[in-house]
Amino acid sequence: QKLGEIKQLSYNIRRLQLAYNVTPTKSHKYLRHSDSIDSGSKDMRSSGGSLLPKNEGIKLFVATLYALVSLILTTIAMTIAHDRVPDMKTIPPLPDIFLDNIPTIPNA
């Protein structure tokens, strides 16, 4: 029964690929050459198309660049903020209103 569901899924995927003119480079292992849905369609292996958009490499580069720039800017901001913290001996930290108003739990 599972194999039948997998074959049905691959058949439906192939139908969607043909409906949207998407032709992957590799054929699914359950989809035989004779399982062509319409006779005028190309074989998936011979078309040379891809399921991935053409600008996928550009998107990967931009995302990586964004992550690296974010990492660098965050590191710089934390370093500057750490250097600008006043001395705790001369200026004590602000009181914590929430923790001052709840009871302490011993051995917690």
Side-chain angles (χ1 to χ4, degrees), residues 19-92:
Y20 289 102
N21 294 326
V22 176
T23 52
T25 56
K26 294 181 181 177
S27 176
H28 196 274
K29 66 180 179 178
Y30 297 112
L31 188 63
R32 294 184 305 270
H33 180 68
S34 62
D35 291 340
S36 173
I37 294 171
D38 74 40
S39 59
S41 66
K42 295 180 182 177
D43 183 50
M44 289 173 19
R45 288 169 286 188
S46 65
S47 65
S50 175
L51 284 176
L52 298 176
K54 293 178 181 177
N55 60 356
E56 196 69 28
I58 296 170
K59 291 191 318 187
L60 177 64
F61 174 74
V62 169
T64 305
L65 183 67
Y66 176 77
L68 289 175
V69 168
S70 299
L71 175 73
I72 292 169
L73 289 178
T74 303
T75 304
I76 292 171
M78 288 176 63
T79 304
I80 293 172
H82 182 267
D83 290 341
R84 295 180 58 100
V85 171
D87 187 23
M88 291 192 53
K89 294 175 186 171
T90 58
I91 301 173

Side-chain angles (χ1 to χ4, degrees), residues 94-102:
L94 296 173
D96 193 344
I97 297 171
F98 177 74
L99 290 178
D100 289 343
N101 291 320
I102 60 170

